[in-house]
Amino acid sequence: QVQLVESGGGLVQAGGSLRLSCAASGSIADINAWAWFRQAPGKLRELVAEITRGTSTNYANSVKGRFTISRDKNTVTLQMNDLKPEDTAVYYCHITNSLNTNYWGQGTQVTVSS
């Protein structure tokens, strides 16, 4: 079992920055990949960024060059720069372990005002 606790959401003006963090506890040695997803009202949940155990990264086209995902021990961080109103969503931390079991955080709200 893995428990995920997110922090760092909030309200920011367009062009501003926020940093999201997700701390994992439990069977963290078994984690294969970490990711951030987001879900805006009325929209499907979408992948924002992911990082594997080997530190390979992948980003949604809409955030490339603005967001950076990184990992340190049991914490994954999403640095979000040059935020746009369309980045407004609930952001969820997600991990997959070696058994392909998925775990989700509780979500943190990010609101970008124009």
Side-chain angles (χ1 to χ4, degrees):
Q1 285 283 355
V2 176
Q3 295 77 43
L4 302 174
V5 178
E6 300 143 343
S7 60
L11 173 64
V12 66
Q13 288 188 330
S17 298
L18 282 174
R19 186 180 180 90
L20 305 182
S21 292
C22 174
S25 60
S27 302
I28 62 173
D30 203 30
I31 296 174
N32 277 348
W34 303 69
W36 287 95
F37 285 74
R38 67 186 180 188
Q39 188 166 17
K43 295 189 176 182
L44 296 175
R45 191 171 296 189
E46 63 175 356
L47 176 67
V48 176
E50 63 182 350
I51 184 167
T52 67
R53 180 188 291 184
T55 69
S56 296
T57 58
N58 181 45
Y59 295 92
N61 287 334
S62 60
V63 307
K64 282 181 181 177
R66 299 188 297 122
F67 291 11
T68 302
I69 189 170
S70 59
R71 179 178 60 83
D72 180 28
K73 295 181 182 178
N74 67 325
T75 300
V76 64
T77 299
L78 185 68
Q79 177 67 42
M80 305 185 294
N81 298 328
D82 189 23
L83 282 161
K84 306 176 185 298
E86 51 264 41
D87 294 318
T88 295
V90 178
Y91 284 69
Y92 296 91
C93 180
H94 172 270
I95 66 100
T96 306
N97 68 7
S98 61
L99 299 177
N100 284 327
T101 301
N102 297 300
Y103 296 91
W104 294 91
Q106 79 281 5
T108 185
Q109 177 70 46
V110 171
T111 303
V112 184
S113 62
S114 57

